[in-house]
């Protein structure tokens, strides 16, 4: 289509054309001024990958509503000041959602400037900004229109900071405080008095007691309540909820050690509109009275009871009383048998997601009845169910044609014939085959030929997989974004050449591949431009030339594991200095790197990198001044 022809189209038609192009729009806007003009005016979301382009992009796309800076480790107060004072700051006028997750370099002054500049801001994510405290909370309170706030792992926030948010952001509807360990009952009580519109609240792993649940029970609009790992909350607290929170639809009490079936019965009896119940790893067993009262929940669609002891009778009762279920989690549940599963799925025929991880006693019979009774399954997890064989995968391939995700990790009965049967599930997107040592290139070729939508594949320790399997895989599964080939020792540089054809690849695990060299890594680095996470631990034949190629070509790398690799001081410094987006590096046992070389490399990335893993013996060899500087810049060092 020529540009002259596009000039004849109305702007509405150009917008519709651009939407149809999806991920292929970039080449079109580069060669067509009309597409560039339309996208500049209509684009609503901007995710910044390189901070040096931030100012120019914000001036070009001035009508955005969502700005994601979570991949910009160098964002700090100075950058924010430049953004707001240089050029046009019109992009702030319509900004409604701001993502600053892991932006640990941004302090309270920059955060406040940014918040005040966005008058209609409705949602902010500062999760995993572990250095954030009450001053940053005070900055967030300057957004009176705020409706959504994610503060997961803001470790310094106390009741004082939460109080400022509660007073300043009275319209909050969604709030997540997971891992904010300094918040107590006092802060939660004030929050519940000031933010009466809360619909979603997550207080997981907080040191709150049942008194907090007394306060939370007063929230008349609360629909979703998550309290994972609240070890000080007991049945008394759950009883407060029995007559409170009339609109409650979902509750998660997983890993709450002091909660029992009695407390859950109280919650259920007061909320017949409950749609989701999570109670994994908090009950010793699932009692008959608890399962019986589930009968009153006509809208119940999701139950997750991972790690709980069950019986055939309990599973039969769930099948009888909960026939509207679309998701059931039984991961690591003791007592799951073929008989129980058969009785369960004969009633729950609408299941779409079923997790049977580590239910080791189920066999082909159970999987076959699942396949026959639940044709709408889209996700099935069977990790460590090693008594099943290719016969059950024949049934899955015959009946579950909508299957998108399947976990067969450590299922020793899976072989090439099983993959041939499974390949009939052409909608597969995610497949885990780790530790399936009986599959080979032949079986992988079956998947490659018939499952073109695959985006994630795990072949961890599939030792019979080699270069020929990768040739078939990369020919048929062009959309792969995540690939795990760790310890598949038959793979050589020829296999790396095939992987280089995967233009969408972002996560690649090559740990322990003893036959790949710098030649193979260079091929991947040159062609896989989207590579963000790379694991090369124990790839001992990769030398300086391979890491030089990564430093030059892999500019989008965010995480790298190069422990036990052969790299010199000079190339390590080059790598750490050139990778501007690098946030996480594992640098354990680099035998050719000196203490001085390692220190220079760390200084080269100081201010950007957020996590480093080093050998413990270096703790007292690296300069204290450098370690303190890294800590001050928000970098966590893990000593191995």
């Amino acid at each position: 289509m020529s540009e002259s022809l596009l000039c004849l189209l109305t702007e509405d038609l150009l917008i519709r054309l651009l939407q149809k192009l999806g991920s292929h729009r970039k080449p079109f806007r580069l060669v067509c001024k009309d597409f560039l003009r339309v996208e500049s005016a209509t684009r609503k979301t901007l995710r910044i990958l390189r901070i040096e382009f931030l100012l120019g992009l914000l001036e070009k796309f001035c009508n955005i509503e969502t700005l994601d800076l979570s991949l910009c480790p160098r964002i700090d107060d100075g950058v924010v000041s430049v953004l707001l004072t240089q050029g046009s700051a019109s992009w702030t006028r319509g900004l409604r959602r701001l993502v600053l997750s892991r932006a640990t370099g941004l302090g309270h002054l920059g955060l406040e400037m940014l918040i005040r500049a966005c008058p209609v801001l409705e949602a902010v994510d500062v999760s995993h900004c572990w250095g954030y405290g009450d001053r940053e909370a005070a900055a967030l309170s300057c957004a009176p229109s705020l409706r959504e706030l994610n503060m997961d792992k803001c470790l310094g926030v106390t009741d004082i900071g939460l109080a400022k948010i509660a007073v300043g952001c009275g319209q909050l509807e969604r709030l997540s405080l997971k891992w904010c360990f300094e918040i107590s009952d006092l802060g939660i009580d004030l929050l519940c008095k000031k933010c009466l519109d809360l619909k979603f609240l997550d207080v997981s792993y907080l040191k709150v007691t049942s008194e907090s649940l007394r306060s939370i029970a007063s929230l008349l609009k609360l629909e979703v309540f998550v309290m994972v790992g609240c070890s000080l909350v007991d049945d008394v607290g759950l009883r407060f909820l029995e007559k409170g929170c009339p609109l409650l639809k979902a509750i998660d009490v997983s890993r709450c050690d002091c909660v029992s079936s009695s407390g859950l019965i109280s919650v259920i009896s007061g909320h017949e509109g409950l749609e989701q119940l999570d109670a994994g790893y908090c009950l010793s067993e699932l009692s008959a009275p608890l399962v019986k009262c589930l009968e009153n929940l006509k809208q119940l669609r999701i139950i997750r009871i991972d790690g709980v002891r069950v019986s055939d009778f309990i599973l039969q009762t769930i099948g009888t009383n909960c026939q509207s279920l679309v998701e059931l989690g039984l991961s690591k549940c003791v007592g799951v048998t073929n008989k129980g599963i058969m009785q369960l799925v004969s009633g729950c025929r609408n299941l779409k997601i079923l997790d049977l991880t580590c239910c080791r006693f189920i066999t082909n019979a159970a999987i076959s009845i699942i396949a026959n009774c639940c044709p709408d399954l889209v996700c099935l997890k069977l990790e460590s169910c090693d008594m099943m064989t290719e016969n059950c995968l024949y049934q899955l391939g015959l009946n579950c044609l909508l299957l998108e995700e399947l976990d067969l990790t450590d299922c020793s009965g899976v072989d090439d014939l099983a993959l041939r049967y499974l390949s009939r599930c052409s909608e597969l997107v995610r497949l885990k085959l780790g530790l399936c040592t009986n599959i080979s290139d032949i079986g992988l070729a079956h998947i490659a030929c018939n499952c073109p939508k695959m985006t994630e594949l795990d072949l961890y320790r599939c030792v019979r997989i080699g270069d020929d399997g990768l040739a078939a895989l990369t020919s048929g599964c062009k959309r792969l974004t995540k690939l795990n080939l760790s310890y598949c020792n038959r793979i050589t540089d020829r296999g790396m050449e095939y992987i280089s054809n995967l233009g969408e690849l972002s996560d690649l695990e090559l740990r322990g591949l003893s036959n790949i060299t710098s030649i193979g890594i260079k091929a991947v680095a040159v062609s896989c431009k989207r590579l963000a996470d790379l694991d090369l631990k124990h790839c001992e034949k990769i030398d300086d030339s391979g890491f030089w190629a990564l430093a030059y070509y892999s500019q989008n790398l965010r995480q790298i594991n190069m422990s036990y690799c052969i790299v010199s001081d000079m190339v390590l410094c080059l790598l750490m200095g050139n990778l501007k987006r690098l946030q996480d590096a594992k640098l354990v046992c680099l035998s050719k790197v000196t203490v001085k070389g390692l220190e220079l490399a760390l200084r080269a990335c100081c201010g950007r990198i957020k996590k480093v893993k080093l050998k413990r013996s270096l703790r007292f060899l690296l300069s204290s001044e450098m370690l303190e500087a890294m800590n001050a810049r928000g970098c966590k060092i893990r000593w191995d």
Side-chain angles (χ1 to χ4, degrees):
M1 185 180 290
S2 68
E3 187 170 348
S4 58
L5 180 58
L6 290 172
C7 292
L8 301 176
L9 300 180
T10 65
E11 187 163 301
D12 180 58
L13 287 174
L14 285 171
I15 292 172
R16 292 170 66 181
L17 273 174
L18 200 60
Q19 291 172 341
K20 292 289 185 181
L21 289 172
S23 60
H24 303 290
R25 62 175 59 187
K26 183 175 180 179
F28 280 83
R29 71 170 184 255
L30 290 176
V31 299
C32 175
K33 293 180 180 178
D34 292 290
F35 274 139
L36 180 61
R37 173 179 53 80
V38 167
E39 186 176 27
S40 297
T42 60
R43 185 163 184 165
K44 299 299 182 185
T45 300
L46 191 60
R47 190 185 193 204
I48 305 296
L49 302 182
R50 303 278 291 276
I51 196 170
E52 53 265 38
F53 303 133
L54 179 54
L55 185 58
L57 288 171
L58 289 175
E59 289 182 349
K60 181 185 295 183
F61 304 110
C62 55
N63 294 320
I64 58 169
E65 295 180 357
T66 298
L67 176 61
D68 186 345
L69 298 174
S70 60
L71 299 180
C72 290
R74 290 185 293 160
I75 187 82
D76 58 22
D77 294 357
V79 172
V80 170
S81 178
V82 170
L83 291 177
L84 298 177
T85 57
Q86 291 188 11
S88 171
S90 60
W91 58 271
T92 62
R93 291 198 299 265
L95 196 68
R96 297 183 180 276
R97 181 177 296 272
L98 181 60
V99 182
L100 297 169
S101 179
R102 304 183 191 278
T104 52
L106 185 63
H108 67 281
L109 295 175
L111 184 61
E112 184 172 347
M113 282 191 291
L114 197 51
I115 295 295
R116 289 188 181 279
C118 303
V120 296
L121 199 61
E122 296 179 352
V124 176
D125 182 352
V126 291
S127 60
H128 300 277
C129 293
W130 54 271
Y132 275 20
D134 291 341
R135 291 187 299 180
E136 286 75 20
L140 292 168
S141 71
C142 297
S145 300
L146 205 62
R147 285 180 167 77
E148 298 181 24
L149 178 58
N150 187 340
M151 298 183 67
D152 293 351
K153 221 164 190 177
C154 291
L155 302 181
V157 177
T158 70
D159 292 334
I160 296 172
L162 184 59
K164 291 178 179 177
I165 290 172
V167 172
C169 308
Q171 298 182 48
L172 270 181
E173 296 179 1
R174 296 177 61 87
L175 177 63
S176 186
L177 300 169
K178 188 186 299 182
W179 296 303
C180 294
F181 299 122
E182 299 302 317
I183 291 175
S184 69
D185 292 338
L186 182 63
I188 297 298
D189 182 57
L190 181 60
L191 174 73
C192 295
K193 288 177 179 176
K194 295 294 183 179
C195 298
L196 302 180
D197 293 331
L198 277 174
K199 297 179 180 178
F200 174 98
L201 179 61
D202 189 340
V203 297
S204 297
Y205 302 103
L206 269 60
K207 297 174 184 177
V208 296
T209 71
S210 294
E211 283 303 308
S212 282
L213 268 66
R214 185 199 297 270
S215 304
I216 291 167
S218 66
L219 295 172
L220 300 180
K221 297 182 180 181
L222 193 66
E223 297 177 0
V224 180
F225 179 44
V226 184
M227 47 175 279
V228 177
C230 291
S231 57
L232 301 179
V233 175
D234 56 19
D235 291 345
V236 173
L238 292 184
R239 291 190 188 104
F240 289 133
L241 296 180
E242 181 176 0
K243 295 182 180 179
C245 305
L247 300 181
L248 194 65
K249 294 180 180 178
I251 185 169
D252 189 342
V253 297
S254 302
R255 301 185 186 277
C256 292
D257 300 333
C258 295
V259 166
S260 72
S261 294
S262 174
L264 284 175
I265 290 173
S266 298
V267 176
I268 291 170
S269 62
H271 301 89
E272 293 187 357
L274 207 63
E275 298 176 5
Q276 178 175 336
L277 175 63
D278 291 76
Y281 306 104
C282 72
L283 305 175
S284 57
E285 61 181 358
L286 205 62
S287 69
L290 174 58
V291 177
K292 175 63 178 175
C293 75
L294 295 178
E295 184 178 7
N296 299 322
L297 304 180
K298 303 302 181 183
Q299 300 178 53
L300 190 64
R301 295 170 58 80
I302 300 173
I303 300 178
R304 301 190 188 104
I305 48 174
D306 303 336
V308 176
R309 178 179 292 278
V310 297
S311 64
D312 293 343
F313 172 74
I314 293 297
L315 293 178
Q316 180 185 11
T317 307
I318 291 176
T320 302
N321 293 348
C322 307
Q323 296 188 2
S324 296
L325 281 185
V326 296
E327 180 178 347
L328 178 61
L330 297 171
S331 174
K332 299 182 181 180
C333 283
V334 178
V336 178
T337 66
N338 283 350
K339 181 180 178 182
I341 290 296
M342 292 176 184
Q343 293 171 329
L344 169 75
V345 298
S346 63
C348 298
R349 292 176 174 266
N350 296 316
L351 280 175
K352 292 186 176 181
I353 301 174
L354 180 59
D355 188 349
L356 296 174
T357 298
C358 293
C359 294
R360 298 179 182 273
F361 296 106
I362 62 173
T363 66
N364 288 347
I367 307 301
S368 296
I369 196 69
I370 290 171
N372 286 311
C373 291
C374 305
D376 294 333
L377 268 181
V378 295
C379 176
L380 180 60
K381 297 183 179 182
L382 299 170
E383 179 182 347
S384 297
C385 297
D386 54 4
M387 295 178 68
M388 50 178 278
T389 67
E390 70 272 5
N391 292 331
C392 65
L393 291 185
Y394 173 80
Q395 294 296 327
L396 285 175
L398 194 64
N399 297 296
C400 298
L401 299 181
L402 301 179
L403 202 61
E404 296 178 5
E405 180 175 354
L406 181 62
D407 188 347
L408 297 172
T409 304
D410 199 18
C411 293
S412 56
V414 176
D415 56 18
D416 290 340
L417 182 58
L419 293 188
R420 180 178 141 197
Y421 294 146
L422 182 63
S423 67
R424 296 173 184 170
C425 300
S426 59
E427 298 296 313
L428 272 175
V429 175
R430 288 174 290 277
L431 179 60
K432 292 188 176 183
L433 298 170
L435 297 168
C436 294
T437 55
N438 292 318
I439 64 173
S440 71
D441 293 342
I442 297 172
L444 191 57
H446 290 308
I447 295 295
C449 288
N450 298 298
C451 303
K453 297 182 180 181
M454 189 81 67
T455 62
E456 299 179 24
L457 180 61
D458 186 349
L459 297 170
Y460 175 80
R461 289 191 185 273
C462 294
V463 293
R464 295 175 64 194
I465 296 294
D467 295 337
D468 292 339
L470 293 184
L473 180 68
T474 57
S475 175
C477 300
K478 295 288 190 181
R479 301 184 187 179
L480 276 174
T481 60
K482 295 185 178 181
L483 180 61
N484 188 348
L485 298 171
S486 295
Y487 302 104
C488 298
N489 284 317
R490 293 190 180 188
I491 294 172
T492 69
D493 287 339
R494 183 163 66 93
M496 295 298 102
E497 290 282 351
Y498 295 131
I499 289 176
S500 69
N501 294 320
L502 299 173
E504 303 293 319
L505 197 64
S506 62
D507 290 47
L508 180 60
E509 295 190 42
L510 303 174
R511 181 178 297 199
L513 297 196
S514 56
N515 292 315
I516 64 171
T517 70
S518 295
I519 295 173
I521 286 300
K522 182 177 180 180
V524 172
V526 168
S527 300
C528 300
K529 297 297 186 183
R530 298 192 179 186
L531 199 61
D533 191 339
L534 180 62
D535 190 340
L536 298 174
K537 184 177 181 180
H538 284 298
C539 292
E540 296 169 1
K541 288 186 179 179
I542 300 174
D543 59 19
D544 278 352
S545 61
F547 289 108
W548 181 92
L550 290 171
Y552 188 79
Y553 295 107
S554 299
Q555 291 299 306
N556 286 318
L557 270 180
R558 293 197 305 273
Q559 298 185 60
I560 188 169
N561 187 349
M562 45 195 297
S563 299
Y564 299 92
C565 288
I566 310 300
V567 62
S568 68
D569 288 351
M570 182 181 70
V571 174
L572 180 63
C573 290
L574 175 69
L575 184 77
M576 301 298 281
N578 271 23
L579 299 180
K580 303 301 183 184
R581 291 185 57 208
L582 191 65
Q583 297 190 35
D584 188 343
K586 296 178 176 64
L587 308 173
V588 177
C589 292
L590 302 180
S591 59
K592 285 193 173 183
V593 175
T594 66
V595 174
K596 183 178 179 180
L598 180 60
E599 182 152 338
L600 286 173
L602 293 175
R603 288 183 185 276
C605 64
C606 187
R608 317 186 250 105
I609 199 159
K610 301 306 174 189
K611 291 182 181 178
V612 177
K613 186 176 182 181
L614 302 171
K615 193 167 179 62
R616 186 176 296 275
S617 59
L618 294 168
R619 190 165 195 165
F620 301 106
L621 298 177
L622 294 168
S623 71
S624 58
E625 175 265 329
M626 191 272 296
L627 295 177
E628 289 171 4
M630 293 188 70
N631 182 65
R633 294 290 189 96
C635 179
K636 282 192 172 182
I637 301 178
R638 178 182 170 190
W639 303 101
D640 185 60

